[in-house]
Amino acid sequence: MNKVTYREDHDLSGVNSLEELKEMALPCKRCALRAGCTGVVFGEGNPNARLMLIGEGPGADEDLQGRPFVGKAGQLLDQILAAINLDRFTHTYIANVVKCRPPGNRAPRPEEAGQCLPWLYRQIELVSPDLIVLLGSTALQNLIDPEARITKMRGQWLVSKSGIKIMPTYHPAALLRDMNKKRPVWEDFQKVRDEYKIIAEG
């Protein structure tokens, strides 16, 4: 299992709950993304979840509803979770690299992600999951390695310095564009299911 380090530097260590963190994040204007979106999409799910899912950023549906993964990609993610007997609200906490929608659903720029990542790092610390699934290359590159390629690293367990097991896989939106990615993602989530069972039964 590959040992990895993701940047965990932030100035939010004094924030002791997700609700408090959300209240601080909602008016955030650290980068230009906030000016072009409806609002901050903070994240949602079980605050004590053993499994955390991290995507790229809000799309149009997410921006309008203020919730992560509610569009077509989110509906597919719900189906994938259901297939491994997990419910997003009961068993997972879901967040994104950036919390404001990039124009035209483009990938966030490094400077935009850099301003937003401290919120995510504190979310990870507060949820304290045993497992993290990184959905897509943006999550992989921002949390693990800017040069990492999802095609090469998906399906491999990584482990953070704090002991969290991390599984990179394709973003559900990629499956909607390329049906050939469905089988690899299913294989990856079966590994997640098996690891989750071990943790839950332990």
Side-chain angles (χ1 to χ4, degrees):
M1 196 171 295
N2 296 317
K3 289 273 186 181
V4 295
T5 300
Y6 63 83
R7 289 178 54 239
E8 295 171 315
D9 52 307
H10 60 74
D11 55 358
L12 298 165
S13 57
V15 183
N16 295 313
S17 73
L18 287 169
E19 280 305 311
E20 183 184 354
L21 189 68
K22 182 177 181 178
E23 289 303 311
M24 293 176 64
L26 288 179
C28 179
K29 295 182 180 178
R30 289 185 179 185
C31 77
L33 290 181
R34 181 65 182 84
C37 70
T38 302
V40 170
V41 179
F42 181 72
E44 69 178 20
N46 183 344
N48 301 304
R50 290 178 167 177
L51 171 61
M52 191 165 178
L53 307 172
I54 299 174
E56 177 177 297
D61 293 312
E62 290 77 13
D63 184 48
L64 286 173
Q65 296 187 40
R67 298 176 52 218
F69 284 92
V70 293
K72 289 183 178 179
Q75 293 163 21
L76 179 55
L77 180 61
D78 288 348
Q79 292 170 17
I80 294 169
L81 289 172
I84 60 169
N85 298 314
L86 297 180
D87 172 77
R88 68 182 286 173
F89 296 104
T90 306
H91 301 106
T92 78
Y93 188 89
I94 301 179
N96 283 303
V97 170
V98 295
K99 303 193 179 324
C100 292
R101 182 193 181 196
N105 288 359
R106 65 164 170 77
R109 294 173 178 143
E111 63 271 20
E112 295 162 347
Q115 291 298 321
C116 207
L117 280 170
W119 301 115
L120 178 60
Y121 296 149
R122 191 59 183 150
Q123 281 177 300
I124 294 171
E125 290 172 350
L126 289 168
V127 174
S128 189
D130 296 291
L131 308 173
I132 292 177
V133 175
L134 300 177
L135 299 167
S137 58
T138 296
L140 173 64
Q141 290 169 358
N142 278 282
L143 271 81
I144 304 300
D145 180 354
E147 302 301 319
R149 293 290 173 264
I150 193 71
T151 51
K152 293 184 178 180
M153 294 190 70
R154 59 139 289 268
Q156 301 179 43
W157 281 116
L158 312 172
V159 61
S160 75
K161 62 184 180 183
S162 58
I164 302 171
K165 290 185 177 179
I166 302 170
M167 171 69 71
T169 192
Y170 294 119
H171 194 287
L175 277 63
L176 297 173
R177 296 189 297 266
D178 181 0
M179 298 293 283
N180 291 325
K181 289 185 169 67
K182 280 196 169 185
R183 179 168 290 278
V185 169
W186 174 237
E187 292 171 356
D188 296 347
F189 270 93
Q190 286 179 304
K191 294 178 184 177
V192 173
R193 175 199 62 198
D194 295 344
E195 196 65 34
Y196 190 96
K197 279 184 180 178
I198 293 169
I199 291 166
E201 292 170 359

